[in-house]
Each structure stands twice: as structure tokens, then as C-alpha cells.
Amino acid sequence: MAFPPSFIDELVARNPIEDVVGQYVSLKRSGSRQVGLCPFHGEKTASFSVSPGVGLYYCFGCHKGGGVINFMMEIEGLNYADAVHALAKRVGMQVPEDEQYQSRYRAQERLWALSKEAARFFYAKLYAPEGAEALRYARERGMPKSTLTTFGVGYAPDSWDSLVKAMKQKGYTEQELKDSGLVTVSQKNGNLFDRFRDRLMFPIIDVRGNIIGFGGRIMNNNDPNAAKYLNSPETLIFNKRKNLFALNLAKKSKLGYLILVEGYMDAVALHQYGFDCAVASLGTALTEEHAALLTRYTDQVVLIYDSDKAGQNATQRAIPILEKAGLQVKVLKMKDAKDPDEFLKKFGADKFKVLLEDASNRVEYQLNAIRRQYDIRADDERIKFIQESAELISTLGSSVQREVYGHRVAEEGKISFEAMQMEIEKARKNRLRREKKAQEKIDLAPARSLQPKSRTIRYDDVKSARAEEGIIALAMRESALLDLAGELKAEEFSVPLFAKVYEQMQRRHREGLGVSVATLEDLSGDEASHIAMIAQGQSGPVNEQAFKDCAAIIRDRHRKRSVSSDEDLLALRNRKKESGGYHG
């Protein structure tokens, strides 16, 4: 949506990017820039850079970048209008009235309010006569009233439309009920009925304290087709790939790590027994978005998935996702219990704490998983165990780690450490050779290697695109250079993104407004990151001749593309004439 340019200029000026980013990232000065660890992906060496002079940020690791508004969008998961609103609130600015923005924001606020009213409805029903069985179940599962209150646990009555009627009485429309995901629509007559019926209800609360959805555990197991757990569908305010149950509470924990479990009941039980750092995914496998969210609050995660095969497979899938985000991963293996809830009720918090302290790191866990696949009493299976373990150990960056785990596998496989070392080194060299070949393949295709990181942006004419990059980067640093562009038009650019940005820059310059990444409109996250990368890549003095040269290259490449296009059209006409198919 469009806000008045003057308002955006003032908003950006009153929200210096280094101040806003500094609320989330510890920055240190490095020349004219400030650097720190990227909040969007895990890293040990700072590759995240903030340039106060041009008002942009860019990460050379994950390639996210943009201005202060883009940063708020990425770090808080907001859309453009909400990010503007958040920055305005930060500095006490009044957001200009805009019907499109106000309409969307009002819709979000109505859904947040509706979800809150629904949570109150469910909570009240848990203590009403129709909730007696659910309340008994909750207490049998060891949840006292204090826990039920902390998590806002409630009960959805075994009724077709009790929630629908209650929310309509509160003034919510049928469309709002549909948008909330709290109801389903009858295909037969279009009537609304409650999505959640006869279920213990768990409100899902985001890190800002808004109720955005629900998870419900079934009370009556008589229906074999009914899901044990049912979650809200995706809505305007709920995205299960970007939220975690109980993170609103766990983010305040002082334990120094987060525990990731599979179900609501496990998370609730852990909090109840004093492990207030537990979170659960929302009925979906762990995603990269979940991992990025976790990195905002910790650098260490303890994985505790169910001990069954499905749980172990989920653990194997989660480990690389968490490690890719830069998180240190430990895996706790349950003993004499299927899940944390069962273990805590059997053995208590003290024994669980011992389990936590003994949690294996991911390498130990993965070696154990490999070991379980083979009967090492048989020579052929022992060889496979050793080779697969060597492959895993070869991926470790530390020579000390490779030696420690190599010794362990050598002992188990009943071979000498020297033989194990040779197998690890062989696996390591093979892997490095494969990686080198892959890199050489990229290096041998320069046009492809010059393509943007984002797949949504393509350079069909690389030479022109690089000149277009130069025009934009130089003009970002000194907008007066745009006066030297002469008759260069946006339609002469080969990359639509650059044409759009150039057009906006020219318009703002003519109107006497500043030109920066933060003030550009109608850019996606990938587009803003790409423009930030281009602007960040420029250093040294501003060169007028370089600007003119770039403009000349763009004109020349556009002329050649036009000639080529005309020649292709002429050739097509000639072929049609020869075949008798052209009558124009």
C-alpha cells in the first residue's frame, strides 16, 4: 500500500536503522558500518552489516537486506503496513489515514479480538457443567488450576453451534467467523457450525501476546476418523510454519536453552514441573521459519520427540534444520517413558533434570541411530556401520571431534584407530572433491554465477543488468547523479525490478525527496534484499564518469536487443511468406 512519501521520509529519518536494528542485534562499529551476528540465520562470524549513512542493512551470509521498514517486516514477521505502523508507534508518529491499510489492520484487530473472546468462551465452559468431564481429564493429567489459567486452557462443548451463537451475540459477523477458522461451512446449506467440538482447547499465542489460533485435544475417542489433535487452519493472523506453542512464555525463561517437543501436553507438563523453556510445533514438521524464530531467543535447543519410530525420524529431520540456523543441538532420549509428560509423572522433575544433563549432542545421537541399523556381529554389517559412521564423522569441522568419535567407532567396530582414520579421511576427501566439482561447475558458467541469489529475479542480459546495478547503487549514494542520466528511460532497462526502482528514484529526485532503499515502494522482501546488496557493494568515491558509462551501456544493450527482436520478427515473416502462411 502507498503512504505519503513525506510521511515515509520522516518515519525513516526518525527511526535510524542502527537504533532499530540495535534493539535486536549487538552491533560493533567497523569503519563507516556497524556489524553483528545476523538475527535471521545462525552464524559464529559476523556477516550482518548496517550502513547508517545510506540507511540499509545487508547480510552477506543469508542475503537478506533492505531498509528499516524491511528489517521490521523480517524480524517481526509483519507486512509492510504493519511494519510502518510499528515504527510510527515507536517514535510517537500518527499514521496517515489510508483506507486499504486501515481496512486490513481493522480486520486483523477484529480477528485478534474474536480469538480472545473465543478463548474466554472456552475457558468459561471448562468450569461449566458441560465441561466437567474435560476438567476431570485435565486434573487427571496433572494440570492444577494455576496451569490451566497460565495457558488459558478451555473446553469446546459437544455442540454444533454454541460458539457460533455466542460470538454472534458479541457482534461478530458470519464472514469474520469464517475468516477466523473457528467455524466450518456446511456444503449442503451453507450454515456455520463449530470447528472444535468436545475438545480440550489450548489457545495459541504469538510472541506479542495475541491469540492467533487454537489446538484442541479430543475428549471422546469413539470416532476412529476423528483426529486426536485438531489445529486452527491458516488465517490472516495464524501461520503454523512461523509460530510455536508456548514461545510467548518460554522466551522469558532464564534457563539458557529451549526445549522443543512434539505436543501441547508435553510443553504444558514441562512448564508445570519448572522447565519453563519448552515449546511445541503446531501440528507440522519443524520448518526453517521455526528454526529462525528460535534463534531470536537462544543458541541451544534440546530436542525431545517421542521415542517411537515417527518421533525418531522427526528428530533426524529436525537436526540439520536447526544446525543450519546456527543452533547448538542436543537430543534427549526418553527412558522408560514414551514422552516427557509420561516421564515427569512417573519419575518427577529431579530425574528429568538428570536426563537433560545427560542429553547427547547430535553427533552421538546420529551415531547411535546408525548403530541401531546394523548387527555389528556380522562382518558385512560391521563394515557398513564403520563406513556410514566415517561418512558422518568426516563432516565435522574440528579435527579433535573427528579423533574422539573416530576412536569410539573404531572400538565398537573392532578395528584399529589408524584404519578408522583412513576411512574418515577417505570419506572427507570424497566429500570435498564432490563440493569442489559442484563449485567448478558454477565457476565455469559465469553468466549463471552472476545471477541474483533470489530465483524470482533474473538477468536475461547480464551486461546490461550489471550496468543497471551501477546506476542504482551510485544514485543511492548521490541522487544528484540522476541529472546526468540524460534521456535514459526505465523501459530501456533489461531487469523489471531495476526499471521500477529507477523510475521511483527519478520521480523522488524530481520532487526534491531523498532516495534510499527504505523509501522505495512496492518491493517484495527478495527485491528489497537485492537492492540493499547492490547498494552495500559500492565503496570509494562517487564517480560521475562511471555513472555515464553505465547509462551508455544500458542504451547500447537496449538498442541491440531491439535490433535482434526486429530481425527475429522479420525472419518469422519471411518464413511465413515462403510457406504461404503470411498475408499481412
Side-chain angles (χ1 to χ4, degrees), residues 276-526:
D276 62 352
C277 57
V279 299
S281 50
L282 301 166
T284 183
L286 189 77
T287 67
E288 291 183 1
E289 291 94 333
H290 289 145
L293 183 60
L294 290 168
T295 61
R296 297 187 198 172
Y297 305 103
T298 189
D299 56 8
Q300 181 177 330
V301 171
V302 180
L303 269 174
I304 315 179
Y305 283 176
D306 289 354
S307 57
D308 57 19
K309 188 171 182 179
Q312 298 312 301
N313 288 339
T315 301
Q316 292 282 18
R317 287 193 300 269
I319 288 171
I321 293 173
L322 294 168
E323 287 200 326
K324 184 180 177 183
L327 292 161
Q328 180 186 345
V329 182
K330 287 192 171 184
V331 183
L332 186 148
K333 187 177 179 182
M334 300 303 307
K335 298 176 182 176
D336 303 315
K338 180 179 180 291
D339 53 40
D341 185 28
E342 183 182 331
F343 185 96
L344 287 163
K345 288 175 175 59
K346 275 187 179 180
F347 307 110
D350 289 340
K351 285 196 174 181
F352 189 81
K353 190 174 182 181
V354 172
L355 271 189
L356 273 175
E357 290 169 353
D358 291 340
S360 61
N361 62 47
R362 70 95 176 170
V363 182
E364 291 171 333
Y365 176 84
Q366 290 178 307
L367 283 174
N368 286 333
I370 294 170
R371 188 179 300 109
R372 287 195 299 270
Q373 295 177 45
Y374 301 106
D375 179 2
I376 59 175
R377 293 171 298 183
D379 287 346
D380 58 338
E381 296 214 9
R382 183 157 58 99
I383 291 169
K384 290 178 183 176
F385 161 68
I386 292 167
Q387 289 175 334
E388 196 168 330
S389 297
E391 189 70 40
L392 171 65
I393 295 170
S394 76
T395 65
L396 303 178
S398 164
S399 58
V400 175
Q401 284 181 304
R402 294 197 295 272
E403 183 167 340
V404 169
Y405 291 113
H407 266 294
R408 187 177 301 179
V409 173
E411 288 175 11
E412 289 187 88
K414 296 179 182 178
I415 62 172
S416 68
F417 175 61
E418 289 72 21
M420 188 67 201
Q421 265 189 319
M422 289 173 65
E423 197 66 29
I424 293 169
E425 193 58 27
K426 176 184 169 185
R428 189 162 176 267
K429 285 180 178 177
N430 285 339
R431 182 172 52 78
L432 293 173
R433 193 180 298 115
R434 290 194 300 269
E435 291 173 357
K436 185 180 179 182
K437 280 186 177 179
Q439 187 59 49
E440 285 175 350
K441 194 174 181 181
I442 293 171
D443 293 341
L444 288 171
R448 186 168 59 189
S449 69
L450 292 172
Q451 290 293 337
K453 300 294 182 183
S454 170
R455 293 183 179 179
T456 62
I457 307 166
R458 304 308 299 160
Y459 287 0
D460 294 325
D461 182 337
V462 174
K463 188 171 182 179
S464 179
R466 297 310 291 264
E468 292 160 30
E469 285 183 357
I471 287 284
I472 288 167
L474 289 165
M476 283 283 180
R477 298 179 64 207
E478 180 54 73
S479 60
L481 289 173
L482 290 167
D483 294 330
L484 304 176
E487 297 299 316
L488 182 65
K489 297 179 175 61
E491 51 264 34
E492 294 177 283
F493 282 55
S494 65
V495 181
L497 168 62
F498 296 155
K500 177 168 65 176
V501 169
Y502 176 73
E503 204 164 38
Q504 286 191 42
M505 294 171 79
Q506 283 284 22
R507 185 180 69 248
R508 291 183 64 85
H509 179 58
R510 285 195 300 270
E511 294 171 359
L513 300 170
V515 173
S516 71
V517 176
T519 58
L520 296 174
E521 302 168 9
D522 192 29
L523 298 187
S524 69
D526 282 351

